[in-house]
Each structure stands twice: as C-alpha cells, then as structure tokens.
Amino acid sequence: MRPEILTPLFASARQLPGVGPKLIKMIARLIGLPETADHEARVVDLVWHLPASLIDRSLRPKIVDAPDGQIVTLEVTVGQHRPPPPRNRRVPYKVDCTDETGTLTLVFFNAHKDYLTRQLPEGETRFVSGKVDWFNNAPQIVHPDHLLSADEFDAMPPIEPVYPLTAGLSPKTLVKAIRAAVALVPELAEWQEPNWLIKQKWVGFTEALNAVHTPASEDDLNPLAPARARLAYDELLANQLALALVRRQMKRATGRTLAGTGAIWPTIVNALPFSLTTSQNTAIAEILDDMASGDRMLRLLQGDVGSGKTVVALAALISAVESGTQGAFMVPTEILARQHLKTLTQMCDQAGITVAILTGREKGKPREEILNALSTGEIDILVGTHAIFQAGVEFKDLGLAIIDEQHRFGVHQRLAIQAKAAGRADVLVMTATPIPRTLALTHYGDMEVSRLIGKPAGRQPVDTRVLPGEKLSEILRALPRAFAAGARVYWVCPLVEENHDLPWAAAEERHQALEKLFPGKTGIVHGRMKGVEKDAVMAAFQAGEISILIATTVIEVGVDVPEATIMVVENAERFGLSQLHQLRGRVGRGTGKSSCLLVYSSPLSENAKARLKIMRETDDGFIIAEEDLRLRGSGELLGTRQSGLPEFHLADLSVHGELLAAARDDAALILLQEPNLDGKRGDSLRTLLYLFERDEAIRLLSAG
Ligand code: ADP
Ligand code: MG
C-alpha cells in the first residue's frame, strides 16, 4: 500500500484551486495522459511539470524610464478609466495610470468593465507588470500580466516560472495550480545516502522541488543545476531499483531446462527459402544455450527493422515445443498478431506444430475453444496481443514467452507474463528499435542482450529524400507512373482526423483527397478502426487490390508487404527519428528499388533540420537511436512519446547519462545491504518507489 503521506499527491488535480472539469482535461493533454487512462490528471502530475523558462519581473523603473519592449513592474496611481464607446468592441478599454514621472496607459481588448473597475479603483496604488510598448511617444502596456495591490505584490516572486502550455490553458491558471500542487508535497524522510548528497551539494527532495519551481535565474533551468539533477537522480534511482528488483525476482525463480531435442527444427529450417545469416545463427545459439541452462532466461534480442528476428524467435519457440512445453508470442497490435500467425503457420505447417491466435477479437465460442486447446496442450504456440494476459487464459505448460516490439510494453506486462508462467518461463524480449546504451539500461537493465547485426543479404538500400510540403503536388504527379510499374505506397500522417489546435496532416482528410485522385486505389488504417476493418484493408493492400495505404503510425511496427516500395511521411518533422526509421523499414523489403519521402512543413527548426538530415545520411538504426536521443530536445514531445521511449518526468537521458550509471550502482548496493528494503533506508526507499509509481516492484518485496 502506498504510504499515506503520499495520498494528497495522488489525488485528482481537481482539488487544486481553479481546476474544474474543463481545466482538468487540458491538464491531462498537457502532461500527455492518454485518453484511455483510468484516472484524471493528479496533483503529482503537475508537480513533475517543470518550468521551461522564466520571466524576470525585477526591473522596476519609473514610467518615463520604462524601456520599450521589456517586461517591467511599475508602481502607479490609477487614474481615469476610458471605456470604449458603447457597442464598439473594436476600440479597447483604456486606463491611465501615473507616477511622478509620467503617464502609462493600460490597454484592454474585449474588456469586462466591472472586472476592471474592481481591479483598478481610481486613486489607488497598484503594481502593474507586463511588456511596455512606446506608442506615439507614450508608454502603454497591452493586457498587463499582473495588476496587484501592495499586499499581493509583496507576495509576488520577482522571477516567474514559465511552464510549457497546451492550447487553451492560460499561464496564470497553470502557475496557480502548480504552485498549489507543489505546496501539497510533504516533507519526506531522506532516501539518498547522506554522503552522496554532500558530495553532490544537493539539498533535500522537497526543497529541491520547491527550488525547481521557483527558478531565480536561467542557470536554474539547466537540467544539470543541483536541484534539477537531484530530482532526476531520484527518478533514476527509483527506476533502477525497480529494475533490479524485477531482475532479482525473475532470476530467483529457478528456471527450467529446455534443452530441445532437435526433432523438429531441422525440418523447418531446411524448408526456409533462405539460409540463416551468421548473426541469426549466433543469436539462436545464445538463446538456446540460455534456455537449456537451469537458470531462467531473461534475454533481449535487439535487431534493426528487417534484420530477421521472427525466424530467430521461431527457433526458440520450436526448442520449447521440442522440450515438451508451449510457447507464447506476444505482439503489440492486432495487425502484427495476424501477420505473425500467418508466417509462423506457414513455416510450421509441415512439422506438425499447432499455432493459434488470441486477441481481443476472439470472443465467445471460438475463444472458448482456443482456451480449451491451450489448457490441454493441443496448441503448441499461441500468438496474440496482450489479451494473452487476461484472466482465464491458462497454458498447460508455458515454457517460453516471447514479447515482440517490447518498447510498447512495460515492466508491468513483463511481470504479468511471468505470473502466467508460474514464474518459471523463459522470457525473450525482441525489439526493433535499436536502443542507445543508456536507454537499454533504464528499460532493460534486467536483461542479457543478443544482437542481430546487419541485414540479410540482397536488400536494397532505401533512397531517402527530405522535401518541403510544397513539393507534395510533384509527388502526386509522379505516382501514376509508379503505379503503372506495380508500386505500392504507404502514406503516413501524424493525425487520424483534423484537429484545429494542430496544423498537421490528418489521415482521413488525406485519404479523401487521394481517393479523388486515384479512385478505388486507396485505403486507410488507423488506431481507431475496428480490427476486422483494419485487417480487410491490410489484406487488400497486401494483395495489391489497392495501391496506396494511408495510415497513422499503426503500420510502424512489423508490417511486411514486400511489394511496397514507396513510403511517404507527412509532417516528418513531428516524428521521432527511431520512429521514422521504423517507418522507412516498411519499404525496401522486396527486390524493387524503394524510396522514402520525408515531407516536412516549413519553416523547419534547426533541430528538426538536423534530425531529418540524419535520416538521409544513415540507415544504421543504432546511430539513429543515439542521435535521436542527443537531439531530442525536451520540446519534441510528440517524437518522444510516440517512439515509445520510457517515460521520465524529471530525468533526461541525453544529459543525465552519468547519473544513470551512478543510480544503477547505487541500486545494486542498496539491494546488497538491504535485500528486502528493510534496513535504515528501507522505508524511505519504498516511499521513493511509490512516489515514482514503481508499485509493481514493491509487490515483489512484500512477496519476499
Ligand atoms: P524483423 O527483424 O523486422 O522482424 P523479419 O523477421 O520480419 O524482420 O524479417 C524480414 C524479412 O526478411 C522477412 O520477409 C523474412 O522472411 C526475411 N528474412 C529473414 N531472415 C532472412 C535471411 N537469413 N535471408 C533472407 N531473408 C531473410
Ligand atoms: Mg518483427
């Protein structure tokens, strides 16, 4: 159970001043809470929302000296109100204010008279703060940020934090809510080692939190500034401690010996239309060794898009089956599950292996039959989505669980899989997103790693071009010729439907437009469609009945259509590099020459330019992943989230790499000293885990 002291932080943010039903939704959007989340934005979510810049209001000149274009705070006497003539909304409401040096005009458009008369009573002293504009030799402030009485002014910090915003949310409201949220953070017993704090010159947690929300200078915004670094370290320590606990738990459960017999695999491998690469053979050998040993396998198979992971997975599954157990193959999307079912069935057919599928779509009787066959052991290999985790899904004897495209799953699911296997199944995680070393540590710190290097021979490099949106018409003009030559095209848009807050291409609108140009040749898939509908469209594309598949990133992972040779990505600047790399990996799979057109909307930021340039320059997923991490500013939110990198609120792996390494060592040491977190630091470290929502790891502790 979460310690009571943290309860206020995990309550809904609705209790904060000014946060009503409308605002809570905006806050959810601001912090990137998925629409499907089972809770509203909470107090703690705002606590983790750090300022991105600041406004310095300490400049306090007299009116005549107020510099044009700068933010100032002026002490003035309120003078005459000059409301606009009735029914003329275009003329602003003006209020003249004075000090001994001159007159300043406050200007309000669409003003509420009552409000202004209350805020600015004639003859009173007020502190006004905002940007001064000199207009016809007279200073004015349009929509001052603050109109304060002397008391209120005393309470106003001269330096104001500026938070990242989302459309519709006003900075003032947000600041107020965040201030209230931070005030709810209790004093917590220190979980860090005292000497380490002294060495780093770090203050306590609560003090550090207050400090990051009240920056005094630009330096304080640096992620390496002491208060920010301390909080980043807290988060990293929670992450590493949780992973260390998972690893220990997984290793503690004695594995089993799945030695294989070699009775089935040769039949399958000999029937493949290709021979395995050296790299595939090495990975298979590592995996089979691991399975054959008495220890439990916890292995990550990293291999770039198209490097041929599926057949490696199959080798492991077959070895589990040869050993008299079952295998599970879990993938993140329905489309992928169907595709894998098809590939695996083809490969396994002549060997008499039974492969079945279980996703959210199998319902009623068919589902019953599958569950039944699974529990009797009739099914050898079960492919599916996370529906595999649901209650009631019982294997006769699960020997190996494979999780494909793991970046979509969390530690949580890994533990769930493990529970299915009564804590004994070997686990192989596969990822096509090459992961930088630091990320591998934060996400897979608990695993051994195998790598597929390079790609099977005969692959053509993909010709990658970066083009401005204005060139779209040229692309469209070139398409008929490509179609005549049998080409199939993926066309990816960042949004499903038009959103007035975001000026990006939407799949539905693009689909309509392309269907007009190429009637009967287009189809669309996106995440909001029903599974059956998606399958039908994918099948039509695979079969060549349609030539353009308009899609959102649902096609990102794994989809295999060798005839597709053109990939168009609109608003490419909006995607993470690893994600673009994944998308590009959808083409260049067959013998045809392939191209990838990355279309951006101008103007392109320097950062975005650099990112797209990398896509043109290299096809090496590892380089791309490292660069993505290096260049991914905190502002490139969409890229981060959609590329599925692990979520940190306070730590930024592109700058906190060294802290991460320290946290990893620290976590190992802690578990040596206090294996069950029951020593001196135990309680406070448990609080730390709860604070950063590593609750699953705590369950491992109480389970002992
Ligand atoms: P990924 O690693 O992206 O999952 P896949 O396993 O889907 O890659 O393999 C991509 C394609 O390469 C498939 O069509 C597969 O049949 C083919 N392939 C896999 N291994 C080899 C190989 N050794 N030689 C030639 N083609 C291969
Ligand atoms: Mg794959």
Side-chain angles (χ1 to χ4, degrees):
M1 276 263 291
R2 185 191 289 139
E4 218 155 280
I5 192 165
L6 296 180
T7 307
L9 295 182
F10 287 90
S12 161
R14 268 182 201 253
Q15 59 169 295
L16 299 170
V19 180
K22 214 169 127 205
L23 202 66
I24 192 110
K25 292 220 180 83
M26 288 184 201
I27 294 176
R29 195 166 347 133
L30 178 70
I31 59 172
L33 196 67
E35 273 170 39
T36 52
D38 54 5
H39 58 76
E40 297 188 311
R42 302 153 308 173
V43 172
V44 72
D45 297 319
L46 284 177
V47 169
W48 300 150
H49 194 63
L50 303 190
S53 58
L54 47 81
I55 295 179
D56 187 344
R57 300 194 184 279
S58 57
L59 188 60
R60 304 248 337 249
K62 292 292 174 198
I63 289 176
V64 282
D65 303 323
D68 187 28
Q70 291 209 32
I71 303 256
V72 296
T73 304
L74 301 165
E75 181 179 354
V76 298
T77 305
V78 179
Q80 203 197 359
H81 282 236
R82 291 187 279 141
R87 266 175 250 97
N88 194 342
R89 304 286 291 176
R90 309 228 332 244
V91 177
Y93 190 114
K94 295 186 178 178
V95 182
D96 294 325
C97 298
T98 55
D99 67 6
E100 63 275 24
T101 67
T103 301
L104 167 82
T105 307
L106 304 181
V107 181
F108 303 89
F109 291 90
N110 297 319
H112 292 284
K113 184 162 190 290
D114 295 349
Y115 172 78
L116 288 177
T117 20
R118 252 182 293 125
Q119 290 294 307
L120 296 166
E122 245 178 280
E124 299 279 313
T125 299
R126 282 291 178 271
F127 291 82
V128 301
S129 189
K131 189 164 116 277
V132 185
D133 290 312
W134 283 79
F135 188 70
N136 289 339
N137 288 326
Q140 62 175 40
I141 297 183
V142 180
H143 291 193
D145 304 325
H146 296 288
L147 302 170
L148 304 172
S149 66
D151 287 350
E152 290 166 331
F153 175 68
D154 283 343
M156 182 188 92
I159 311 262
E160 203 169 279
V162 177
Y163 293 95
L165 283 173
T166 188
L169 194 57
S170 98
K172 245 189 206 169
T173 325
L174 183 63
V175 166
K176 201 164 127 207
I178 291 180
R179 213 175 275 163
V182 173
L184 287 174
V185 178
E187 274 302 329
L188 298 169
E190 184 58 68
W191 45 73
Q192 299 294 357
E193 238 259 304
N195 289 331
W196 170 243
L197 289 181
I198 293 167
K199 180 159 173 265
Q200 296 289 326
K201 301 197 174 67
W202 286 346
V203 296
F205 171 76
T206 312
E207 196 178 331
L209 250 188
N210 277 299
V212 298
H213 284 284
T214 49
S217 70
E218 293 286 337
D219 288 348
D220 291 345
L221 299 170
N222 185 321
L224 293 172
R228 288 210 175 203
R230 140 110 220 192
L231 297 177
Y233 190 75
D234 289 334
E235 185 167 43
L236 291 169
L237 183 61
N239 165 270
Q240 289 298 304
L241 200 51
L243 280 176
L245 286 167
V246 172
R247 178 187 171 81
R248 189 179 67 182
Q249 175 76 5
M250 293 231 179
K251 287 279 172 194
R252 183 184 281 169
T254 28
R256 53 202 298 187
T257 307
L258 299 178
T261 57
I264 304 171
W265 179 240
T267 323
I268 295 177
V269 84
N270 289 333
L272 289 176
F274 48 76
S275 46
L276 299 179
T277 63
T278 318
S279 190
Q280 282 170 322
N281 279 320
T282 311
I284 292 175
E286 284 169 353
I287 293 166
L288 296 193
D289 266 3
D290 225 355
M291 289 173 65
S293 87
D295 284 342
R296 179 149 202 224
M297 175 167 81
L298 258 185
R299 185 172 282 275
L300 175 69
L301 175 62
Q302 273 194 310
D304 213 340
V305 198
S307 60
K309 292 183 292 298
T310 315
V311 64
V312 175
L314 181 63
L317 288 166
I318 294 300
S319 184
V321 174
E322 284 176 355
S323 314
T325 67
Q326 294 163 295
F329 195 166
M330 195 177 66
V331 299
T333 65
E334 177 107 29
I335 293 183
L336 262 185
R338 308 252 156 227
Q339 185 184 300
H340 275 323
L341 175 73
K342 200 168 134 207
T343 333
L344 296 188
T345 311
Q346 267 167 10
M347 295 199 225
C348 290
D349 227 15
Q350 72 280 36
I353 304 277
T354 312
V355 188
I357 187 166
L358 185 68
T359 71
R361 260 170 61 199
E362 279 67 41
K363 294 202 177 87
K365 190 115 184 297
R367 182 180 146 92
E368 286 305 308
E369 280 167 16
I370 292 165
L371 294 187
N372 207 10
L374 196 62
S375 62
T376 59
E378 220 174 294
I379 293 174
D380 299 307
I381 298 173
L382 184 68
V383 182
T385 55
H386 51 263
I388 295 186
F389 292 138
Q390 283 160 0
V393 183
E394 301 292 343
F395 289 81
K396 176 165 183 243
D397 184 10
L398 181 61
L400 171 70
I402 299 188
I403 312 180
D404 194 6
E405 317 291 0
Q406 152 81 16
H407 58 287
R408 296 286 176 99
F409 298 107
V411 167
H412 181 73
Q413 274 101 338
R414 243 187 272 167
L415 289 171
I417 276 222
Q418 190 213 354
K420 274 270 164 286
R424 296 181 65 208
D426 284 336
V427 175
L428 177 68
V429 168
M430 309 203 299
T431 172
T433 312
I435 305 167
R437 202 182 51 83
T438 44
L439 282 188
L441 275 184
T442 54
H443 213 42
Y444 305 104
D446 54 341
M447 316 198 121
E448 249 73 62
V449 178
S450 293
R451 284 209 168 120
L452 291 185
I453 298 158
K455 290 188 186 164
R459 290 288 163 74
Q460 301 240 16
V462 177
D463 177 18
T464 303
R465 307 217 178 152
V466 177
L467 315 160
E470 293 77 47
K471 292 271 167 76
L472 264 185
S473 51
E474 278 175 38
I475 298 178
L476 292 174
R477 273 203 298 278
L479 281 183
R481 248 217 318 196
F483 291 146
R488 268 172 246 172
V489 180
Y490 289 110
W491 192 296
V492 176
C493 299
L495 300 176
V496 175
E497 57 188 42
E498 212 173 317
N499 175 333
H500 292 290
D501 295 340
L502 305 168
W504 309 330
E508 284 178 348
E509 276 71 27
R510 186 58 70 206
H511 177 221
Q512 283 161 16
L514 289 172
E515 178 62 33
K516 277 208 191 97
L517 290 172
F518 308 104
K521 275 186 173 307
T522 71
I524 179 169
V525 285
H526 58 69
R528 291 192 208 153
M529 284 163 60
K530 289 219 177 70
V532 209
E533 296 166 3
K534 276 193 273 192
D535 286 356
V537 179
M538 283 308 299
F541 187 61
Q542 238 150 1
E545 290 155 21
I546 55 173
S547 310
I548 313 184
L549 184 67
I550 295 102
T552 55
T553 50
V554 290
I555 57 155
E556 174 192 344
V557 275
V559 175
D560 199 17
V561 181
E563 296 83 2
T565 50
I566 302 177
M567 166 66 69
V568 179
V569 184
E570 285 198 68
N571 292 107
E573 76 281 5
R574 290 282 146 202
F575 293 89
L577 285 190
S578 296
Q579 199 178 15
L580 289 176
H581 182 61
Q582 289 271 327
L583 288 171
R584 180 168 60 185
R586 299 302 109 219
V587 294
R589 302 195 141 216
T591 44
K593 200 165 158 28
S594 294
S595 46
C596 174
L597 308 175
L598 302 175
V599 183
Y600 61 86
S601 352
S602 318
L604 210 49
S605 72
E606 283 306 312
N607 187 293
K609 243 181 233 163
R611 287 152 47 92
L612 292 180
K613 182 154 163 265
I614 290 159
M615 290 306 298
R616 230 177 39 221
E617 285 172 350
T618 180
D619 183 36
D620 181 326
F622 283 94
I623 296 180
I624 288 174
E626 296 282 354
E627 289 295 316
D628 201 11
L629 182 62
R630 194 174 64 77
L631 288 172
R632 181 172 45 90
S634 56
E636 310 273 326
L637 257 187
L638 193 67
T640 330
R641 288 199 196 286
Q642 293 203 343
S643 62
L645 302 174
E647 287 275 292
F648 284 105
H649 306 291
L650 308 170
D652 175 350
L653 296 175
S654 62
V655 284
H656 294 131
E658 278 177 35
L659 288 183
L660 173 66
R664 184 173 163 79
D665 292 346
D666 206 357
L669 190 63
I670 288 169
L671 291 189
L672 266 181
Q673 291 168 336
E674 307 188 15
N676 216 22
L677 297 189
D678 42 13
K680 273 201 319 273
R681 288 166 75 189
D683 278 342
S684 56
L685 284 165
R686 282 167 191 249
T687 306
L688 174 71
L689 288 170
Y690 277 113
L691 184 62
F692 287 102
E693 300 178 70
R694 272 30 185 212
D695 304 26
E696 297 106 0
I698 305 229
R699 258 180 260 134
L700 298 180
L701 280 176
S702 19

